[in-house]
Coordinates of all heavy atoms in Angstrom, one line a residue:
L4 N 0.6 -4.4 -8.3 CA -0.8 -4.5 -8.7 C -1.5 -3.2 -8.5 O -1.5 -2.6 -7.5 CB -1.3 -5.6 -7.8 CG -2.8 -5.9 -8.1 CD1 -3.0 -6.4 -9.5 CD2 -3.3 -6.9 -7.0
T29 N -36.6 21.5 -12.4 CA -37.9 21.5 -12.9 C -38.9 22.4 -12.1 O -39.8 23.0 -12.7 CB -38.5 20.1 -12.9 OG1 -37.6 19.3 -13.8 CG2 -39.8 20.0 -13.5
V44 N -39.0 15.3 -13.7 CA -39.0 15.1 -12.4 C -38.5 13.7 -12.0 O -38.1 13.4 -10.8 CB -40.4 15.3 -11.7 CG1 -40.7 16.8 -11.8 CG2 -41.4 14.4 -12.3
R71 N -4.9 -7.9 -3.2 CA -3.7 -7.4 -3.1 C -3.0 -7.6 -1.7 O -1.8 -8.0 -1.7 CB -3.6 -5.8 -3.3 CG -2.4 -5.1 -3.2 CD -2.5 -3.7 -3.6 NE -1.1 -3.1 -3.4 CZ -0.8 -1.9 -3.9 NH1 -1.8 -1.2 -4.5 NH2 0.4 -1.4 -3.7
P90 N -15.5 16.4 4.8 CA -15.0 17.8 4.6 C -15.9 18.7 3.8 O -16.3 19.7 4.2 CB -13.6 17.6 4.0 CG -13.2 16.3 4.5 CD -14.4 15.4 4.4
Y99 N -25.0 26.7 3.6 CA -26.4 26.7 3.5 C -27.0 27.4 4.8 O -28.2 27.9 4.7 CB -27.0 25.4 3.2 CG -26.9 24.9 1.8 CD1 -25.9 24.0 1.6 CD2 -27.6 25.5 0.8 CE1 -25.7 23.6 0.2 CE2 -27.4 25.1 -0.5 CZ -26.4 24.1 -0.8 OH -26.3 23.8 -2.2
G108 N -34.6 28.9 13.6 CA -33.4 29.1 14.4 C -32.4 27.8 14.3 O -32.9 26.7 13.8
D110 N -30.9 24.4 15.1 CA -31.3 23.3 16.0 C -30.1 22.5 16.1 O -29.6 21.7 15.2 CB -32.4 22.5 15.1 CG -33.1 21.3 15.9 OD1 -32.3 20.8 16.7 OD2 -34.1 21.1 15.7
L112 N -29.7 19.7 17.9 CA -30.0 18.2 17.8 C -30.0 17.7 16.4 O -29.3 16.7 16.0 CB -31.3 17.8 18.4 CG -31.7 16.3 18.3 CD1 -30.6 15.5 18.9 CD2 -33.0 16.1 18.9
N122 N -29.2 11.3 10.3 CA -30.4 12.2 10.1 C -31.4 11.5 9.3 O -32.6 12.0 9.1 CB -29.9 13.4 9.4 CG -29.2 13.2 8.1 OD1 -28.2 12.5 8.2 ND2 -29.5 13.8 7.0
V127 N -38.2 14.4 11.6 CA -37.8 15.8 12.0 C -36.3 15.9 11.7 O -35.9 16.9 11.1 CB -38.0 16.0 13.5 CG1 -37.4 17.3 13.9 CG2 -39.5 16.0 13.8
G142 N -29.4 16.2 2.1 CA -28.5 15.4 3.0 C -29.1 14.2 3.4 O -28.3 13.4 4.0
E148 N -26.5 6.8 2.7 CA -25.2 6.2 2.2 C -24.3 5.8 3.3 O -23.7 4.7 3.3 CB -24.4 7.3 1.3 CG -23.3 6.7 0.6 CD -23.5 6.2 -0.8 OE1 -24.6 6.4 -1.3 OE2 -22.6 5.5 -1.3
F151 N -25.5 2.6 4.9 CA -24.9 1.5 4.1 C -23.5 1.3 4.4 O -23.0 0.1 4.4 CB -25.2 1.7 2.7 CG -24.7 0.7 1.7 CD1 -25.2 -0.6 1.8 CD2 -23.6 1.0 0.9 CE1 -24.8 -1.6 0.9 CE2 -23.1 0.0 0.1 CZ -23.7 -1.4 0.0
L176 N -36.6 -6.4 0.0 CA -37.9 -5.9 -0.5 C -39.0 -6.3 0.5 O -39.8 -5.4 0.9 CB -38.2 -6.7 -1.8 CG -37.4 -6.2 -3.0 CD1 -37.7 -7.1 -4.2 CD2 -37.5 -4.7 -3.3
T193 N -49.0 11.1 13.4 CA -48.1 12.0 14.2 C -47.6 13.2 13.3 O -47.6 14.3 13.9 CB -46.8 11.3 14.7 OG1 -47.3 10.1 15.4 CG2 -46.0 12.1 15.5
L216 N -29.6 -4.5 -4.9 CA -29.6 -4.7 -6.3 C -28.2 -4.3 -6.8 O -27.7 -5.0 -7.8 CB -30.6 -3.7 -6.9 CG -30.7 -3.7 -8.5 CD1 -31.1 -5.1 -8.9 CD2 -31.7 -2.7 -8.9
L310 N -23.8 18.7 -3.7 CA -23.8 19.7 -2.7 C -24.1 21.1 -3.1 O -24.9 21.8 -2.4 CB -22.5 19.6 -1.8 CG -22.2 18.4 -1.1 CD1 -20.8 18.5 -0.4 CD2 -23.2 18.0 -0.1
W334 N -44.2 26.0 -25.6 CA -42.9 25.6 -26.1 C -41.8 26.6 -25.6 O -40.7 26.1 -25.5 CB -43.0 25.8 -27.7 CG -43.7 24.6 -28.3 CD1 -45.0 24.6 -28.8 CD2 -43.2 23.3 -28.5 NE1 -45.3 23.4 -29.3 CE2 -44.2 22.5 -29.2 CE3 -42.0 22.6 -28.2 CZ2 -44.1 21.2 -29.4 CZ3 -41.9 21.4 -28.5 CH2 -42.9 20.6 -29.1
E363 N -12.2 18.3 -1.7 CA -12.4 16.9 -1.7 C -10.9 16.2 -1.7 O -10.7 15.3 -0.9 CB -13.1 16.4 -2.9 CG -14.6 16.8 -2.8 CD -15.4 16.1 -3.9 OE1 -15.3 14.9 -4.0 OE2 -16.2 16.8 -4.6

Side-chain angles (χ1 to χ4, degrees):
L4 180 63
T29 300
V44 295
R71 178 172 180 170
Y99 286 106
D110 187 331
L112 177 61
N122 53 310
V127 174
E148 185 93 12
F151 177 66
L176 291 177
T193 305
L216 179 62
L310 296 175
W334 285 103
E363 291 188 51

